[in-house]
Amino acid sequence: MHHPLSIVILAAGKGSRMKSPKAKVLHEICGREMLYYSIKAAREITDDVIVVVAHQKDAVIRAMEKYFNGLTFITQDTDSFPGTGGAMMGIQPKYGDVLVLNGDMPLITRTSIDAFMSSESDIVMSVIPLDNPSGYGRVIIENNHVLRIVEEKDANDAEKAVQTVNAGIYAFKHHVLETYIPRLSNANAQSEYYLTDVIAMARNDGLTIAPLYVEEVEFKGVNSKNDLSNAEMIMMDRLRRDWMDAGVIMQLPHTIYIEEGVKFEGECIIENGVRLCGNTLIVNSHIKAHSVIEESVIRDSDMGPMAHIRPLSVIEETHIGNFVEVKKSTLTGVKAGHLSYLGDAIIGEGSNIGAGTITCNYDGKKKYQTIIGKNVFVGSDTQLVAPVEIADNVMIAAGTTVTSGKYESDILILSRTPIRKVVGFFTKFFGKGQQC
Ligand code: UD1
Ligand code: MG
């Protein structure tokens, strides 16, 4: 059930502390831009999600439209009205209750947003007690009433010593915003319009402001690359726990990297050091240590250790051994046990790919396909120069270079330089009784 609640997500800032040409909210956590996570949590609660954009606005909108339909994007005039208060100008929420969320808080969940809705106060704002409050706005509280928020850059030494900080999420009655947003001023250290100044103005007019004490683990703001990696560790831990709860076996889970788009079905075993990326689906499979799988489907198979499955591969009922790289290939009922590159290939049931087999899929200009039928025995150290098509029931001798073309069923393909023996060579070269 949706609350009659509008959620505004502030995502217009540059994020200069990230020291990056990329907009802060587009930095990734578990394979998705951090803004995705706050929108996802907001969408679980309401149909009215308003995202404020400005810096790299086209890139931000494009990135979010990959995941969500029906978002409202509002462009902030950051030249005339910079700051989180400027971001709130021109917002037209659908509902009377408005929750404002910073776009740099990817760890927020639906449950923690729900807590803001349980109070009758004019404003509910999040506060976190922190040992090290630096970087955050300090919340000045007396008798459980919030008096004001002071930004670090505007704080005096006594205010800087305050350890309760503003987490950056607030529930307002719409009329509160209508009254105070137009009255904000930018007379502060950053010459910005601070949303946080609404608190002191509302307080002076006798409105009720309730502090909601929250946990840093869900309300952490990401402002630097260090924050980004810390947030990613927390998020990844959640993903791994959820998947283990759903029945996945993980060995040394803290060493396993999993992205948000990865899904598992049935019973899967994931060994230590595995990296799973993109929209990968793994069904009833065993992924051995230090394998990397990107954007692929793995079903009823085992692979690794140290296999590399690159995007758009579909691998079913297949055994992939160590040091095998597969790219954009469909393997069904195949054994590829060791040291191979299989790119742009389709390989059929019962086929065996010998060690050192390479599909030569690129001629320096274009990529070509290799199609191998059923029950094909590919000997070790075979090169298949694509485009090449091998029918069912074929044997390829070890060391063969299979040149481009079509090969019919029930043949042996063999290309080998005949052996030449030079009798007495060893002794002549190294001398009698010598060792090489
Ligand atoms: C803000 C709060 C601070 C709080 C902290 C919590 C203000 C003035 N300060 O500070 O009290 O402790 O969050 O994390 O609000 N944004 C815009 N338009 C802008 C500027 C920022 O949309 O003109 C967006 C950013 O994209 C970001 C969010 O607002 O998602 C917060 O901006 P940021 O610069 O990170 O604010 P903080 O300095 O962290
Ligand atoms: Mg911030």
Side-chain angles (χ1 to χ4, degrees), residues 10-13 17 24-25 52 76 78 81-84 87 102-105 135-137 149 151 166-168 170 192 194-196 221 223:
L10 308 185
R17 283 167 285 174
K24 176 163 73 176
V25 294
V52 183
Q76 178 184 354
T78 44
F81 299 104
T84 49
N102 284 353
D104 62 356
M105 298 174 50
Y136 286 93
I149 301 173
E151 290 308 298
N166 167 26
Y170 327 77
E192 287 186 0
Y194 294 161
L195 174 59
T196 46
N223 294 304

Side-chain angles (χ1 to χ4, degrees), residues 283-288 293 297-304 307 309 313-321 324-326 329-338 342 346-353:
V283 185
N284 292 321
S285 294
H286 184 165
I287 315 299
K288 294 183 188 159
I293 303 175
V297 177
I298 316 294
R299 218 182 275 276
D300 305 312
S301 298
D302 71 284
M303 62 186 54
I309 312 300
S313 298
V314 178
I315 295 177
E316 295 184 330
E317 292 175 39
T318 286
H319 162 69
I320 301 272
V324 174
E325 175 182 349
V326 180
S329 293
T330 301
L331 276 54
T332 317
V334 174
K335 285 189 190 133
H338 336 259
L342 305 170
I346 301 174
I347 308 179
E349 227 174 295
S351 289
N352 185 92
I353 307 297

Side-chain angles (χ1 to χ4, degrees), residues 29-31 107 230-242 253-254 256-259 276:
I29 286 180
C30 299
L107 299 171
N230 286 332
E232 184 167 71
M233 282 193 270
I234 294 169
M235 182 71 76
M236 196 114 22
D237 206 43
R238 285 185 197 164
L239 289 176
R240 287 184 297 236
R241 278 165 198 270
D242 287 350
H254 64 284
I256 297 171
Y257 173 95
I258 300 184
E259 292 190 346
L276 304 172

Side-chain angles (χ1 to χ4, degrees), residues 46-88:
T46 175
D47 61 333
D48 191 31
V49 178
I50 301 164
V51 184
V52 183
V53 291
H55 184 61
Q56 295 188 10
K57 126 185 187 185
D58 295 338
V60 174
I61 295 175
R62 216 177 314 121
M64 292 307 108
E65 286 183 339
K66 279 189 306 202
Y67 310 112
F68 307 102
N69 296 318
L71 295 172
T72 307
F73 291 97
I74 299 278
T75 303
Q76 178 184 354
D77 177 358
T78 44
D79 291 332
S80 311
F81 299 104
T84 49
M88 292 300 292

Side-chain angles (χ1 to χ4, degrees), residues 258-314:
I258 300 184
E259 292 190 346
E260 163 83 4
V262 175
K263 304 258 174 304
F264 299 89
E265 286 171 18
E267 184 157 272
C268 298
I269 303 174
I270 312 297
E271 294 187 8
N272 53 295
V274 166
R275 182 178 175 94
L276 304 172
C277 305
N279 293 313
T280 285
L281 171 66
I282 301 180
V283 185
N284 292 321
S285 294
H286 184 165
I287 315 299
K288 294 183 188 159
H290 301 288
S291 296
V292 176
I293 303 175
E294 304 165 273
E295 194 77 21
S296 290
V297 177
I298 316 294
R299 218 182 275 276
D300 305 312
S301 298
D302 71 284
M303 62 186 54
M306 285 165 288
H308 186 187
I309 312 300
R310 291 173 47 207
L312 307 180
S313 298
V314 178

